Amino acid sequence: MYEAFYGLKEKPFSIQPDPDFLFMGKRHSLAYATLEYSIRNKAGFCVISGEIGSGKTTLIRHLLNNLGQEFNVGLVYNTHQDVANLLEWVLLAFGLPYQNTSQVALYDEFQRFLIAQYGAGKRVLLIVDEAQNLSPGALESLRMLSNINADKDQLLQMILVGQPQLRDVLRRPEMQQFVQRVSAHFFIPPLEIPEVLRYIQHRLKVSGREAPLFSPSACVRIAKASRGIPRTINILCDTALVYGFSGAAAKIDVRLIEEVIRDQGKYGVFPIE
């Protein structure tokens, strides 16, 4: 809609996770370094948590794009409190049979799979997204899977990704045994105001525009209204570009941002601020 008007090749502020737009600020760089450390050191568990829209999924996709061919990756993302048998979801993630089988048989099937992968020189990585939805019992079942080893080698590595509630669950006294298996962990905080300015310019540059489009004061207002959450920044910036295009504004200034925030508060289903 507004891409050609502003000299953009594509929309710079889509809310869909896209590794091409990954902004490696200080916090996301540390989070990614934590993921890399866990992979290189064959950590049993790595935990990455952060607010909704903080960029966790984008980081994971960037990681997947950079893993070698020796990895066999399974992804569990349909987590919820009513999941009765997490092991079934784990087997499904790796394309293994899981139906009409006892718990013991399922565990044996997965253990045989891990041993076969190890023998073939493959490393098995399980990523559980939205892990804050898992019950303590489901987390305990993952801990039991981490007991499957060959001599000193860890046959299964796991990355848990979730909202702040995941951190709260893991801090419970009854989760002490699980936490002792977590070798790497990081909580992604919101972006600070200077980072928001760089974040906005970074996404514009990836989309094909080198010249600044948002004024510094507009970026500061966006940072405060969004509380530094990347997804909210994207929504606000995208809406501002629609407003700017409709009014033929060459630049996005703070006045236009205030108008967007005010209109969203009056007419929007979900006010930005």
Side-chain angles (χ1 to χ4, degrees):
M1 179 179 182
Y2 53 68
E3 293 90 74
F5 182 77
Y6 286 117
L8 301 164
K9 297 182 297 184
E10 57 183 317
K11 290 182 64 175
F13 299 106
S14 170
I15 62 172
Q16 298 301 320
D18 187 344
D20 291 339
F21 282 88
L22 179 61
F23 172 70
M24 280 296 192
K26 178 181 179 181
R27 290 151 179 78
H28 288 79
S29 294
L30 288 171
Y32 191 73
T34 301
L35 287 167
E36 283 193 313
Y37 171 83
S38 70
I39 294 295
R40 291 179 180 178
N41 289 275
K42 300 182 179 180
F45 283 98
C46 175
V47 176
I48 300 294
S49 59
E51 297 288 349
I52 298 172
S54 61
K56 302 181 296 295
T57 302
T58 305
L59 272 178
I60 293 298
R61 292 195 177 184
H62 183 64
L63 175 71
L64 294 176
N65 288 343
N66 287 278
L67 288 179
Q69 295 296 319
E70 72 273 18
F71 282 90
N72 189 340
V73 181
L75 176 62
V76 174
Y77 54 88
N78 289 321
T79 58
H80 52 83
Q81 288 286 349
D82 296 328
V83 171
N85 190 347
L86 187 61
L87 185 52
E88 291 181 352
W89 288 97
V90 172
L91 289 165
L92 176 63
F94 290 102
L96 300 172
Y98 63 91
Q99 295 174 316
N100 303 319
T101 310
S102 69
Q103 278 289 295
V104 174
L106 290 174
Y107 185 87
D108 182 63
E109 175 72 26
F110 193 61
Q111 181 172 250
R112 290 174 182 272
F113 165 73
L114 292 178
I115 293 172
Q117 292 291 295
Y118 178 74
K122 291 281 190 178
R123 295 175 60 183
V124 181
L125 173 64
L126 174 66
I127 299 174
V128 182
D129 201 4
E130 301 296 343
Q132 77 278 352
N133 295 326
L134 297 178
S135 66
L139 289 169
E140 176 62 16
S141 69
L142 291 179
R143 188 185 72 83
M144 295 300 293
L145 292 180
S146 71
N147 290 331
I148 305 175
N149 299 311
D151 297 325
K152 296 181 179 181
D153 290 326
Q154 189 84 34
L155 297 190
L156 175 64
Q157 289 184 257
M158 286 177 266
I159 297 175
L160 305 186
V161 185
Q163 297 170 25
Q165 298 94 312
L166 173 61
R167 182 178 56 175
D168 297 338
V169 170
L170 295 179
R171 285 176 173 175
R172 294 177 185 174
E174 65 268 26
M175 298 306 298
Q176 184 175 359
Q177 276 191 305
F178 185 96
V179 171
Q180 289 174 352
R181 301 289 180 92
V182 178
S183 303
H185 53 90
F186 192 86
F187 180 85
I188 304 174
L191 300 176
E192 295 182 350
I193 290 177
E195 287 183 304
V196 173
L197 274 68
R198 296 197 300 272
Y199 173 87
I200 291 172
Q201 186 56 32
H202 166 77
R203 294 191 72 102
L204 289 169
K205 185 176 181 179
V206 173
S207 297
R209 182 181 173 113
E210 294 283 348
L213 179 54
F214 289 72
S215 72
S217 57
C219 293
V220 170
R221 187 67 182 95
I222 291 167
K224 292 179 178 179
S226 66
R227 296 179 295 110
I229 301 298
R231 186 179 299 166
T232 308
I233 295 170
N234 288 358
I235 293 171
L236 184 47
C237 286
D238 184 62
T239 307
L241 288 176
V242 174
Y243 273 54
F245 170 72
S246 65
K251 293 287 185 69
I252 307 299
D253 59 17
V254 69
R255 177 199 58 79
L256 194 147
I257 298 301
E258 293 289 3
E259 182 182 354
V260 170
I261 294 172
R262 185 172 59 252
D263 285 356
Q264 289 294 305
K266 285 184 177 179
Y267 313 117
V269 177
F270 307 107
I272 291 174
E273 194 176 47

